[in-house]
Amino acid sequence: MNLILDSLIFIGNSAIDVLPIVIFLFAFQLFVIGEGIPNFRRILVGFGFVTVGLGLFLVGLEETLFPLGRLMAQQLTAPEFLHATRVSVMGALDWADYHWVYLFAAAIGFSTTLAEPALMAVSIKANSVSGGAIGIWGLRVAVAIGVGVGVSLGCYRIISGLPLQYFIAAGYLVVIVQTTVAPKMIVPLAYDSGGVTTSTVTVPLITALGLGLAEAVPGRSPLLDGFGLVAFASLFPIISVLAYGQLAVLRHGMAQSTTEKTKLPEEEDHAL
Amino acid sequence: MKRSLIALSRDALFSLRDLLPIVVVIGVFQVFVIKQPVTGLVSILFGAFLVVIGLAFFIFGLKLALFPIGEGLAHSLAKKGSIFWLFVFAFVLGFGTTIAEPALLAVAQEAAEVAVDAGVIAATEAAKANYALGLRLVVALSVGVALLIGVFRILSNWSLPLMIIAGYVLVVLLTAIAPAEIVGVAYDSGGVTTSTVTVPLVTALGVGLASSLKGRNAMTDGFGLIAFASLTPILFVLLYGIVLG
């Protein structure tokens, strides 16, 4: 019963989010372009699906995955758990004693990214624009690997206390080098994938992990050190997607197959 | 109708596949690492069902509404040939979708706590609300500017890598002079701005614009708008920190 009420509240909230955008788009179409809205009914139904879908998606996450993920982040960073699984022999915990945290961070970063709706949208678009050269599944896995590695490394940074900017600067250095050698067509997409990855599903879970860690590790402040995981999760997908492009060139010679505006049927969901 | 139903159920099947990894990760860690019983399995399963249906609906609606209208508007604006309205559209889309972004709200409130801790602002509710609102306005402004710059790049054909890299060099320089407590917040704000509804629209805008302009390639010129939207919030928030600090 509660869940039904919650669902309605979430759908209402997502309507509040979506409605201004719809009004803006329609107003622009009507008053600036000066034309009616093509396929008005279809578009309206589509926005209905987007609103209800987003609402149900979020209520499902809020009821199940988020509490469970937050609880697990707490359990994995709890002193009792860390002492029970430690590998160092004596004294204070060192960075290697947090091995389960790194593994969980990588796994949860990877798996939540695969379920990220915004990334799906971009992958579908990239697939159809590239004429199928970029696989929906391949791109998503590439981004997910980047997020997994990024979040894991971000956890190491919180535990080790090293400055955030060192990692970020080093990461962008790698991006610069890769940009010069990666195929041109993948570069803009790779830069975009950094921002796409971190939205609905991933951010709440990795934020919980970061805050849990910063609370558990002696000498860290949740407020100062809890931040920064999202930055890692936005940077590393750029590197992994550029690498995906480089690999694809090595394997298939993908660069030549870039054609403009090749529309493919939606069946391409399985590509790669 | 029948075709739509088939498309919808296929989207549902894909959503199931997309969520499976999360279920596996959580399951494996619960059973083998944490080794504690999970309570409320039935409600968890029902919630997971809602997630699958919700995701399927969203993807279905995306193809039906968000993509066509975003691309249609980009085409019409390009055909109209008014750069002014194109810039207005890009800016308002960026500013409007960001100011109401729930994730940004959360980050702004936490950032206000950090600022109180660091002694930048007074520990009153009013000061915190003020600071959080200021931060939200700055980030929304930065996303509006980002889309404006991104659209300008598509029109002008400037090099995306050069612009982005120059931006990040600026980030590194500003980080060196910005107060320490704003750095983490600034870096994170780049990630939270791009929401689930905004991303498809912005992508459709870029691709639609690039494919309706002569001499532009939808793949190499159409993408990149979101990259700007992740970069400028970092810059603007660092500046906000420097100015206030």
Side-chain angles (χ1 to χ4, degrees):
Chain A
M1 208 41 220
N2 229 341
L3 207 53
I4 297 172
L5 192 71
D6 281 350
S7 304
L8 288 175
I9 293 171
F10 271 82
I11 291 172
N13 279 340
S14 96
I16 294 172
D17 286 347
V18 174
L19 213 59
I21 301 176
V22 175
I23 292 171
F24 166 64
L25 291 173
F26 282 3
F28 216 83
Q29 177 82 29
L30 283 174
F31 300 117
V32 178
I33 308 290
E35 287 168 21
I37 291 123
N39 301 318
F40 184 67
R41 269 191 52 195
R42 226 176 83 123
I43 301 262
L44 224 50
V45 171
F47 274 118
F49 270 103
V50 166
T51 307
V52 174
L54 216 51
L56 291 179
F57 185 67
L58 290 178
V59 77
L61 288 177
E62 207 54 65
E63 295 288 328
T64 61
L65 278 177
F66 288 168
L68 206 57
R70 285 190 197 114
L71 182 69
M72 289 175 75
Q74 275 170 17
Q75 286 170 329
L76 286 172
T77 52
E80 307 84 65
F81 177 83
L82 289 168
H83 280 283
T85 59
R86 69 183 298 175
V87 287
S88 61
V89 187
M90 52 195 289
L93 293 168
D94 70 11
W95 66 273
D97 294 326
Y98 294 87
H99 50 275
W100 284 118
V101 173
Y102 304 131
L103 202 65
F104 180 71
I108 208 77
F110 179 86
S111 58
T112 52
T113 303
L114 284 181
E116 201 64 80
L119 177 60
M120 280 175 219
V122 170
S123 307
I124 292 170
K125 201 87 226 161
N127 178 266
S128 73
V129 168
S130 69
I134 290 168
I136 293 180
W137 193 241
L139 180 65
R140 285 171 53 202
V141 170
V143 174
I145 290 174
V147 176
V149 172
V151 178
S152 195
L153 205 61
C155 286
Y156 170 71
R157 184 200 74 85
I158 294 178
I159 290 160
S160 67
L162 293 165
L164 171 66
Q165 46 268 45
Y166 289 7
F167 287 87
I168 302 293
Y172 280 108
L173 223 60
V174 175
V175 169
I176 293 173
V177 172
Q178 274 184 303
T179 301
T180 57
V181 290
K184 257 190 165 152
M185 66 173 286
I186 198 85
V187 171
L189 187 63
Y191 287 10
D192 270 4
S193 58
V196 175
T197 47
T198 43
S199 52
T200 333
V201 201
T202 318
V203 171
L205 279 179
I206 64 176
T207 307
L209 191 62
L211 290 176
L213 257 185
E215 268 165 31
V217 181
R220 300 287 172 278
S221 129
L223 287 176
L224 279 180
D225 300 295
F227 285 104
L229 275 184
V230 177
F232 273 86
S234 318
L235 169 62
F236 281 80
I238 307 183
I239 296 175
S240 63
V241 173
L242 285 171
Y244 166 71
Q246 290 172 284
L247 266 178
V249 167
L250 283 179
R251 284 176 47 207
H252 312 288
M254 175 175 74
Q256 76 236 5
S257 58
T258 323
T259 39
E260 262 179 79
K261 284 217 66 168
T262 324
K263 285 273 176 209
L264 279 185
E266 290 159 7
E267 272 69 34
E268 286 307 304
D269 280 19
H270 318 273
L272 212 102
Chain B
M1 189 63 204
K2 200 175 156 209
R3 266 187 56 198
S4 303
L5 270 179
I6 293 172
L8 189 60
S9 40
R10 212 189 43 205
D11 283 341
L13 225 64
F14 283 133
S15 314
L16 202 63
R17 182 196 64 184
D18 294 331
L19 288 161
L20 210 61
I22 303 186
V23 176
V24 171
V25 167
I26 288 186
V28 166
F29 267 84
Q30 280 293 353
V31 176
F32 295 107
V33 182
I34 296 177
K35 294 177 192 155
Q36 293 198 1
V38 180
T39 46
L41 204 61
V42 176
S43 85
I44 288 177
L45 283 178
F46 186 65
F49 170 76
L50 286 183
V51 173
V52 171
I53 297 297
L55 192 56
F57 272 31
F58 174 79
I59 296 292
F60 184 74
L62 179 90
K63 295 176 195 161
L64 216 58
L66 279 178
F67 276 161
I69 199 162
E71 251 178 89
L73 268 167
H75 281 300
S76 311
L77 279 167
K79 210 170 65 195
K80 195 178 156 74
S82 163
I83 292 175
F84 171 75
W85 280 115
L86 197 56
F87 282 166
V88 170
F89 180 74
F91 181 82
V92 177
L93 184 67
F95 185 89
T97 53
T98 307
I99 193 78
E101 173 67 37
L104 178 60
L105 212 79
V107 169
Q109 273 156 3
E110 275 187 53
E113 299 289 332
V114 177
V116 169
D117 253 33
V120 178
I121 54 169
T124 60
E125 281 309 309
K128 274 195 273 185
N130 231 336
Y131 184 88
L133 181 68
L135 196 67
R136 276 171 62 205
L137 280 173
V138 164
V139 173
L141 190 73
S142 72
V143 177
V145 171
L147 294 192
L148 206 113
I149 297 175
V151 165
F152 171 76
R153 183 198 74 88
I154 296 176
L155 297 175
S156 68
N157 213 6
W158 286 12
S159 159
L160 175 73
L162 278 185
M163 293 175 83
I164 296 289
I165 288 167
Y168 279 108
V169 170
L170 216 58
V171 166
V172 172
L173 292 179
L174 285 179
T175 303
I177 56 167
E181 69 275 359
I182 200 84
V183 172
V185 177
Y187 282 23
D188 271 5
S189 65
V192 297
T193 50
T194 41
S195 81
T196 312
V197 184
T198 320
V199 165
L201 269 177
V202 168
T203 307
L205 169 71
V207 168
L209 193 61
S211 62
S212 52
L213 291 175
K214 258 201 206 102
R216 298 286 185 281
N217 178 298
M219 193 68 216
T220 51
D221 301 309
F223 291 94
L225 285 177
I226 295 164
F228 284 108
S230 323
L231 165 67
T232 54
I234 308 182
L235 282 177
F236 279 48
V237 173
L238 284 175
L239 281 172
Y240 184 66
I242 292 170
V243 170
L244 284 186

